[in-house]
Amino acid sequence: MVAEIVSGLEYSKKVLTEVGEAIAKTREHHPHFESVLAIVQVGNRSDSNVYINAKLKKAKEIGANGKLIKLPDTITQGDLKREIMALNHDNNVDGIIVQLPLDCKHDIDSDYIIDLIDPLKDVDGLTRINAGRLARGELQRTIFPCTPYGCLYLVQQATGNPNFVSGKEVVVLGRSKIVGSPAAALFLWYHGTVTICHSKTPNIKEKCLRADILIVAIGRKHYVKADWIKPGAFVIDCGINVGDDPTSRKIYGDVDTEAAKEVAGYLTPVPGGVGPMTVAMLIRNTYEQAKRRRLPGKESNEEFDH
């Protein structure tokens, strides 16, 4: 068996094309309709610059708008709070994200800052309100976090089955607030039987071998070996690890891809797997919130389209 390599590049193009077409169609009836994403960056990390440029470029390509609020690394928590509150009150902004990690000289509590974002503009799905709704299964009132949402979409599209997760054993390696924990919640409410593994979990290999769907997000290069994978499993690699060679800056996943593809049924590559999906889902979430905020009759609708 050789795994089907699930191209996030191809599936992200599908999502972005659909969003672009939806924006164009909306403008036929509402010519001044916009979908505006505001990205708040503190400092000037080179990796953050790359990620931000990718988001702005993809948004522009499909007719959405992105604006970068770039702030100096000397900013204080109080000043950053004022920037977020101004964006909350700006009627021309539909989505707000704070690029992490913050690159600043002062101590700033990033959880506190993210939680200041208006939940209706929280297109990363990281505020306590959206995270809490997801944890409780209030899916119609939740903005899904972009990386877990992208993972779910890849599973549904690659298998051709929107209900593929239902009844499956799902194992998530990692419990971060951005990927592991929300992925576990999302796949649970799509009716998977979910196990979360972390640094204190014993017998991780045995738990992974039970997984029909294995989601890996721990940040350790090639941590998951082929003999950890159930034959035919759907393996989703969310890892981004820079190789040891400083001249190449090659990116590696958390899964030993070459070995794993001989065992898995489906496998997402790194790069070109989950990463592009995260950007696509961010732009999709922003469009959905723009539609909800800006179109007549949508304002009172508490339910989100997923």
Side-chain angles (χ1 to χ4, degrees):
M1 174 191 293
V2 177
E4 177 181 325
I5 301 301
V6 181
S7 171
L9 288 169
E10 291 305 310
Y11 285 114
S12 67
K13 282 179 193 165
K14 182 172 188 274
V15 172
L16 291 168
T17 299
E18 288 171 357
V19 175
E21 288 169 354
I23 289 173
K25 193 171 180 183
T26 303
R27 284 182 180 147
E28 289 174 10
H29 302 286
H30 305 277
H32 301 296
F33 177 82
E34 296 287 353
S35 174
V36 180
L37 170 66
I39 302 176
V40 178
Q41 180 184 15
V42 175
N44 193 35
R45 279 178 65 116
S46 58
D47 55 346
S48 292
N49 292 338
V50 171
Y51 298 139
I52 289 166
N53 287 336
K55 293 166 187 173
L56 295 174
K57 181 169 174 276
K58 291 296 177 190
K60 187 176 181 183
E61 282 174 7
I62 62 154
N65 289 322
K67 61 188 259 181
L68 173 60
I69 295 88
K70 193 160 187 164
L71 303 168
D73 63 3
T74 52
I75 197 167
T76 63
Q77 184 161 299
D79 286 337
L80 184 52
K81 175 181 178 177
R82 280 185 279 278
E83 294 283 351
I84 300 293
M85 300 311 285
L87 292 169
N88 283 343
H89 293 116
D90 185 342
N91 271 334
N92 200 41
V93 169
D94 303 293
I96 303 167
I97 67 166
V98 176
Q99 187 69 36
L100 298 175
L102 301 175
D103 173 25
C104 49
K105 291 185 164 64
H106 300 287
D107 281 339
I108 294 181
D109 182 344
S110 58
D111 289 332
Y112 169 77
I113 291 298
I114 284 168
D115 217 46
L116 294 170
I117 297 171
D118 180 340
L120 293 177
K121 296 187 179 187
D122 170 31
V123 286
D124 256 344
L126 297 179
T127 58
R128 287 189 181 95
I129 286 179
N130 277 315
R133 285 174 174 170
L134 178 59
R136 287 166 48 146
E138 297 175 22
L139 301 190
Q140 298 307 315
R141 299 177 62 223
T142 305
I143 301 177
F144 290 172
C146 303
T147 300
Y149 193 8
C151 293
L152 176 67
Y153 185 88
L154 287 176
V155 170
Q156 293 171 323
Q157 292 290 315
T159 62
N161 181 0
N163 299 311
F164 182 83
V165 176
S166 183
K168 299 293 192 298
E169 288 275 352
V170 181
V171 174
V172 181
L173 292 192
R175 54 180 169 180
S176 73
K177 286 174 280 200
I178 293 174
V179 183
S181 294
L186 186 59
F187 279 70
L188 170 68
W189 292 110
Y190 273 79
H191 313 301
T193 301
V194 178
T195 302
I196 305 175
C197 298
H198 47 79
S199 59
K200 301 292 188 287
T201 303
N203 307 318
I204 286 185
K205 177 180 172 180
E206 286 73 13
K207 291 176 173 64
C208 289
L209 278 165
R210 296 206 307 262
D212 303 306
I213 301 170
L214 179 61
I215 303 170
V216 190
I218 50 173
R220 292 174 68 178
K221 175 186 168 185
H222 291 179
Y223 184 73
V224 173
K225 309 299 182 190
D227 62 355
W228 291 33
I229 296 167
K230 179 180 179 178
F234 200 122
V235 180
I236 304 171
D237 189 348
C238 302
I240 303 175
N241 306 291
V242 179
D244 300 327
D245 181 355
T247 58
S248 75
R249 304 292 292 171
K250 189 174 178 190
I251 302 294
Y252 297 89
D254 291 346
V255 177
D256 184 351
T257 306
E258 284 306 307
K261 70 183 183 186
E262 303 298 324
V263 185
Y266 301 86
L267 180 63
T268 66
V270 176
V274 173
M277 291 307 304
T278 299
V279 175
M281 292 319 200
L282 175 66
I283 292 166
R284 179 176 177 166
N285 281 349
T286 305
Y287 165 68
E288 292 296 340
Q289 294 313 106
K291 193 170 63 169
R292 192 170 181 279
R293 291 180 66 251
R294 294 174 186 256
L295 299 186
K298 293 278 188 182
E299 307 91 338
S300 60
N301 180 13
E302 264 288 301
E303 298 200 346
F304 301 159
D305 294 328
H306 294 305

